[in-house]
Amino acid sequence: MIDPWYSSTILYADWGLRLVFAARVLLRRAPVPVPVALAWLVVLLSLPFAGWIAYLMFGEPRLGLWRAKRFGRLAEEMDQRAARLWAHRSEEGDAANPVNAQIAALGTAVGGLPPLRGNKLRLLADSEQMLDALIADIDSAREHVHILVYIWQASGGGVLVGEALIRAVARGVECRVLVDAVGSKKFLRSQLRKRMVAAGVEVNAALPVSALRAVFSRLDLRNHRKIAVIDGRVAFSGSQNISDRTFRSKRRAGLGSWIDATLRIEGPAAQALAVVFLIDWQLDSGQDMRQVVRYLPELGRPKDDACIVQVVPSGPGTMPQAIQQAILTTIYSAREELLITTPYFVPDDATKSALRSAAMRGVQVTVVVPEVLDSRLTAAASRSHFLELMEAGVRIALFQGGLLHAKTITADRRIAVVGSANLDMRSFALNFEVTMFIYDDDFSSVVRFLQTDYLGKSVELDLATWRARRWYRVAVDNAAQLLGPLL
């Protein structure tokens, strides 16, 4: 039998902690969005013990005091060093027109990297095509190869890329690989990793998970970026990890292949991606990478007809919601058409309002998402937003050719956005992401052509049919929406 004194103490302690964390929600220095605050207040005040434990683990994007300060100093220092090199060696882009220039100015302010002129771009929409191009560039590398991904497949295409790095190291090329500790858990424990390390490839885990780290930082903050840089001249970035068409999510069967979009970049924007990698690598490896000039070679004067590309990184710490702010500005700038593809679509109020506003002022807004998603909860939360958006005039289409994983936006065929960030609060506020904004009419049309191909393999939802859904389906989706700010 439990002594009443002990039970009373436990009860008072539980309520004390719940009230302390509830006050924390209301008094945080960075104001919490109202839906997020309400969701956490409900959790804290209704769930004994579990409420404050959940908030302690997931309530705030705690990066860790040391890491946050270190990240801020490194990002500012290395961005400034790189910007001085670009200013000396080539012209920074003016983003071509006043509307684009405003988006570029905001991207520079929130992400730290300017738009850069002089890039040659290739859009890779097939996983095997992307891996073949990457391996060919690794085989041509002379100085260094740097790769950062969320998932590294320990079989198939992952092995082929690993073997290419082993060949590069044998030629004297410096090879560094940074993978997310959670997303690439199997790779980090694999024989492939051991072979790569034994051959001389440096491999590190980003944001490692441990009981000690849980005390100081939030464990579900992940590095979701996809970056590969070869000799500071060529880079790859987009939605594809180091994986091939055989890769499948184990959370749900029958999804089909992941459909991705990746940019191959030759030019200064490849060096902007190199800076993002070097900052992340120094934080997780401890190596001093601040002499960025070593990894940013002379590229010469840009050609007038080459694309202007701006790399916008974001993540907890000094760059929270940088990508979201740049995307919102892009949405509000649209006058004729917005075409969006994303696998995980759980918009916050700001993003949803921007999309509704665009549709109601006459912009043709189309959002393409997978018909079947690997997360049932996220899929339900996504569906809960469809009716409100469709009533405002937004078209919603369900892709049927696999798990559409490409994260792309085109606005008026003048701006294209390709990157790793989804349209959800996890990507905007909790993950480390990177997105490219391309200020070029011709290449925007190339991205839009790919989007229309996705649209051709999709089924558009009918507003009347969606309104007539069974009440229990609506209830389930709306219940999932309540967890949207916490997903």
Side-chain angles (χ1 to χ4, degrees), residues 303-357:
K303 296 181 179 179
D304 290 337
D305 61 346
C307 295
I308 298 173
V309 178
Q310 184 170 29
V311 173
V312 179
S314 69
T318 60
M319 298 181 293
Q321 302 181 353
I323 290 174
Q324 182 188 24
Q325 293 179 49
I327 287 176
L328 286 175
T329 306
T330 303
I331 293 173
Y332 279 114
S333 76
R335 295 295 176 263
E336 298 176 3
E337 180 190 63
L338 273 170
L339 192 48
I340 299 169
T341 71
T342 181
Y344 307 108
F345 179 69
V346 188
D348 67 332
D349 287 344
T351 305
K352 187 163 61 173
S353 294
L355 293 172
R356 293 178 69 249
S357 174

Side-chain angles (χ1 to χ4, degrees), residues 117-132:
R117 186 189 303 276
N119 298 283
K120 179 180 178 182
L121 306 181
R122 179 184 175 194
L123 183 61
L124 303 169
D126 177 84
S127 59
E128 311 304 322
Q129 182 186 39
M130 180 271 185
L131 291 176
D132 289 345

Side-chain angles (χ1 to χ4, degrees), residues 395-445:
R395 300 168 62 199
I396 306 289
L398 305 181
F399 181 78
Q400 298 183 310
L403 199 162
L404 181 61
H405 195 243
K407 304 97 163 43
T408 67
I409 301 173
T410 55
D412 298 340
R413 308 187 193 193
R414 60 179 171 79
I415 298 175
V417 180
V418 179
S420 66
N422 301 295
L423 261 67
D424 64 7
M425 287 310 298
R426 168 155 291 283
S427 285
F428 288 156
L430 300 180
N431 286 343
F432 289 89
E433 307 277 6
V434 66
T435 292
M436 284 76 62
F437 287 73
I438 303 103
Y439 308 109
D440 184 88
D441 294 357
D442 292 338
F443 194 80
S444 295
S445 295

Side-chain angles (χ1 to χ4, degrees), residues 365-392:
V365 182
T366 305
V367 179
V368 185
V369 296
E371 182 176 42
V372 182
L373 201 58
D374 58 336
S375 169
R376 295 180 187 272
L377 179 60
T378 303
S382 179
R383 290 192 299 266
S384 70
H385 297 281
F386 289 174
L387 180 59
E388 187 178 357
L389 289 168
M390 287 193 290
E391 287 179 336

